Amino acid sequence: MTSLSETIRPSRAQARDWKAIVILILLVPVLWSPLILFRFVLYQPFSIPSGSMAPTLMVGDYVFAAKYAYGYGRYSIPFAPSFISGRVLAADPAYGDIVVFRTAKDNSVDYVKRVVGLPGDRIQMRQGQLILNDRPVTRVALETKPAGSTCGGDEDAKVKRWRETLPNGASYVTNDCDDNGYLDNTSVFTVPPGHFFVLGDNRDNSTDSRMMSTFGFVPMDNLIGKVTRIFWSLDEDGEPHMERLGKVR
């Protein structure tokens, strides 16, 4: 459990490409065993260690990420050599996808966030509202709920919630812990080619693309998979949280 574009890109030395191809060929018999096929090729399980994606994903949730959704690259192919770049069977994420990836700033840690910006998009936060290509993203206020531990303060406090809907129809709920949070107002970020922009659903308690110096835009090649389902969940007391099981939006 852990909390190539169309082909392997040409490198300076052709020998490196041949080494990568040979390694992949040698791995084929191993990868076709049922357990390895499921775990390393189709779906990978992850545990959720923080509340940055609350209320969609909570601490104690265990999720499956579909590794085939965006193709296979250095971070999704098991035992892939560090010199491999690009993705095989590449596909780009869509607005609203919850993705597992590694950042350009730290490629040793797996992150789970929601995609809100694609190459060429202009992203900004204004008074806590997401602005996409100069237009406020549609959001509707929902009933407040007890904050619990998701806001990092008084557990008896209430948290504001919004249903946010992106231009492609992807709709989900976000938490708004602070009316004037540190990242509620930002400059405009223009997503460069080959990258995407992510936010956590728990907007005031998420380290994400708004923090350019430590996180920033995410390279497409750093994708690992698309979160599709919560397959197990435990509450704060370690008891099964069965009502949380199912598909993730």
Side-chain angles (χ1 to χ4, degrees):
M1 178 77 60
T2 56
S3 66
L4 269 176
S5 74
E6 296 176 351
T7 184
I8 298 175
R9 292 177 181 170
S11 61
R12 294 179 180 178
Q14 267 191 333
R16 286 189 172 185
D17 286 350
W18 281 109
K19 287 180 182 178
I21 293 170
V22 169
I23 289 171
L24 290 174
I25 292 174
L26 292 175
L27 282 174
V28 167
V30 177
L31 295 176
W32 275 106
S33 66
L35 181 60
I36 297 298
L37 179 66
F38 184 89
R39 169 64 174 78
F40 289 109
V41 180
L42 299 179
Y43 293 93
Q44 183 170 344
F46 293 88
S47 62
I48 304 302
S50 76
S52 70
M53 279 297 294
T56 309
L57 299 177
M58 305 291 288
V59 175
D61 287 346
Y62 294 80
V63 303
F64 280 133
K67 302 184 74 172
Y68 56 83
Y70 308 123
Y72 300 90
R74 173 182 173 186
Y75 299 111
S76 57
I77 296 175
F79 318 117
S82 60
F83 57 78
I84 285 184
S85 62
R87 289 176 291 153
V88 171
L89 305 176
D92 292 345
Y95 292 124
D97 283 2
I98 300 176
V99 295
V100 182
F101 58 91
R102 297 187 185 179
T103 70
K105 309 288 185 179
D106 181 1
N107 60 21
S108 65
V109 178
D110 298 323
Y111 289 91
V112 180
K113 305 288 179 183
R114 190 180 296 276
V115 176
V116 300
L118 297 172
D121 285 341
R122 297 181 304 281
I123 308 292
Q124 186 179 22
M125 299 297 296
R126 296 181 195 160
Q127 297 181 337
Q129 185 168 16
L130 173 61
I131 309 298
L132 176 59
N133 293 325
D134 306 317
R135 294 185 177 181
V137 169
T138 301
R139 65 174 185 170
V140 176
L142 302 177
E143 181 184 0
T144 61
K145 285 198 171 184
S149 60
T150 61
C151 289
D154 183 1
E155 294 193 2
D156 294 325
K158 298 285 189 177
V159 58
K160 291 182 180 179
R161 301 184 308 140
W162 301 88
R163 175 161 292 282
E164 195 168 85
T165 303
L166 294 172
N168 65 342
S171 184
Y172 46 88
V173 177
T174 66
N175 277 351
D176 185 2
C177 295
D178 191 342
D179 287 336
N180 191 28
Y182 172 63
L183 295 172
D184 277 353
N185 294 281
T186 70
S187 57
V188 177
F189 306 109
T190 300
V191 185
H195 292 73
F196 56 94
F197 191 100
V198 294
L199 293 176
D201 289 351
N202 194 10
R203 293 289 164 80
D204 294 312
N205 285 281
S206 173
T207 300
D208 50 42
S209 291
R210 293 172 292 182
M211 305 178 71
M212 281 291 148
S213 62
T214 58
F215 202 100
F217 304 112
V218 182
M220 293 287 185
D221 289 351
N222 287 28
L223 282 164
I224 295 174
K226 176 183 178 180
V227 174
T228 58
R229 178 177 295 273
I230 299 173
F231 69 88
W232 188 242
S233 183
L234 299 174
D235 63 21
E236 294 178 355
D237 297 321
E239 297 295 325
H241 209 176
M242 304 303 290
E243 63 269 25
R244 289 197 53 76
L245 307 191
K247 290 184 178 180
V248 174
R249 294 183 179 180

